[in-house]
Structure formats: structure tokens, C-alpha cells
Amino acid sequence: MMLPPTPRVLALRGLLAAIRRSYRAGRVIVAVDGGGPGGGTVFADDLAAVFRESGADTFRASLDGFHTSRAYRTRLGRETAESYYRDGYDESTLRRVLLDPFRLGGSAGFQLSAFDEARDQPVESRWLTAGQDAVLVVDGEFVLRPSLRGAWNASILLTNAVLDPLYVADADPEGTADFLVDESDAGEPRWVERVP
């Protein structure tokens, strides 16, 4: 289904084309960091819609579906900004049930979510499979942290996002993202492809 050619859709199509210049075929994982919980969700949803429009078998996930439990995050005392940054997400489960099996392709099953933070409990496993040239768009704060950098084929930072200072100092997200997107005018985002 063709999306209406609004300035936003046209900008996202241009971003998709830039990503496809490097990754024409095979499984592709794109990360979107919009700062704060859910900050990049709308952008990631819209980017996924443009990938679908292009005919790609496209899936959406969020780091919010891979939180750790409150008990784990507070095991050493009250939760702080630093403990949340260091322990707020279960990267091991993210890799084991989503990223690694998605990259394998074929009949390997993957899960788009493993934990419900609002209910503070794991979610029931729902395993999916996808075609050889599928796309996975993942949003979330801290997706550009050093421990996850190699997980993405392409990464996007929304430059108008409010970022955690510890994250900025540890990860330099603006310096490491493949694409910087200014969404000050959400109707017409402007992006810059970083020169390798």
C-alpha cells in the first residue's frame, strides 16, 4: 500500500534509500534512539511503514520489551539514573531471543518482546519467523551504547531528543549514529548521513 507523499514520508523514503545503498538484501536491523522511554517510537513506526511500503517483510520491536525486573534494578538499593542506565535492560535476552535468531534467518524463530515493564513480569513467548530479506526496526533509549553498537546494521539518532548525560558521556551517541535526524518539525524531518 502506498503511503501519501507527505514531506515526512518523502524524507523517510530518502532515509530508507540511504540504508538500502549499504544493505540491498539479507536481514537488516535498524536502531532508532529518540531519547527517554518511547522517545523514538513514532519515528520507528513510521520508518517501518516505509520499509513495508517498499515490499520488505518488516518487524518492530522496542528495547522497552527487554527491561529487567524492578527487583533486579533495585537489588543494590534505590534505583538511580546510573543503575537504570547500567541495569535497566536485559541485553542478554535481547540478543538471545531477538537479535541473534533474527540474523540467522531461515526458520530460526525470534521474539519481539520478552518483558512487560508495567506488569514487571516476563511476557508469554510468541515466536515469529521471517523471510530472507526481512527488516527489523528497534527503538529505544540507549541503543547506541557501546555494548550494542555492533548489533545494528544502521543506527539513527533523533537529534532533538533529550539524552541522559551518563549515556552521552559513555556512548557519544551523536558521534556514533549512522544517521542524525532533526525532528524539530515532525512533519518534515531532516536527516544527515554520517560519512564513514
Side-chain angles (χ1 to χ4, degrees):
M1 178 175 110
M2 291 299 289
L3 298 169
T6 64
R8 181 175 180 85
V9 168
L10 294 174
L12 290 170
R13 285 177 183 161
L15 182 57
L16 178 149
I19 293 169
R20 284 299 195 194
R21 279 198 301 272
S22 297
Y23 303 99
R24 296 190 185 284
R27 298 269 175 107
V28 176
I29 304 176
V30 180
V32 176
D33 190 333
T41 301
V42 171
F43 186 89
D45 287 345
D46 291 349
L47 181 61
V50 171
F51 269 106
R52 285 187 194 101
E53 175 191 54
S54 76
D57 191 11
T58 306
F59 296 84
R60 275 285 288 117
S62 175
L63 286 190
D64 288 344
F66 294 89
H67 273 285
T68 55
S69 68
R70 282 187 206 96
Y72 179 78
R73 294 193 314 258
T74 59
R75 70 193 183 286
L76 301 175
R78 185 177 63 79
E79 186 172 47
T80 64
E82 182 170 0
S83 68
Y84 181 74
Y85 176 67
R86 304 277 182 218
D87 298 327
Y89 294 95
D90 186 346
E91 289 183 33
S92 174
T93 299
L94 173 71
R95 289 180 185 280
R96 183 174 44 82
V97 305
L98 177 57
L99 302 180
D100 293 344
F102 185 84
R103 283 198 188 287
L104 284 174
S107 61
F110 56 90
Q111 266 182 259
L112 296 175
S113 180
F115 195 81
D116 182 336
E117 185 187 24
R119 295 174 61 200
D120 197 33
Q121 65 184 30
V123 298
E124 183 178 336
S125 297
R126 183 170 172 245
W127 295 92
L128 304 169
T129 58
Q132 179 180 343
D133 297 324
V135 174
L136 172 64
V137 179
V138 180
D139 75 277
E141 61 182 334
F142 312 145
V143 296
L144 296 171
R145 66 194 311 150
S147 57
L148 287 176
R149 274 194 204 135
W152 324 118
N153 297 102
S155 58
I156 299 163
L157 175 68
L158 303 183
T159 59
N160 54 311
V162 177
L163 301 176
D164 180 274
L166 177 62
Y167 175 46
V168 171
D170 183 53
D172 183 23
E174 190 166 329
T176 58
D178 298 310
F179 299 90
L180 302 177
V181 177
D182 179 356
E183 262 209 323
S184 299
D185 178 356
E188 192 170 355
R190 301 190 182 283
W191 58 272
V192 176
E193 184 174 358
R194 299 190 68 82
V195 177

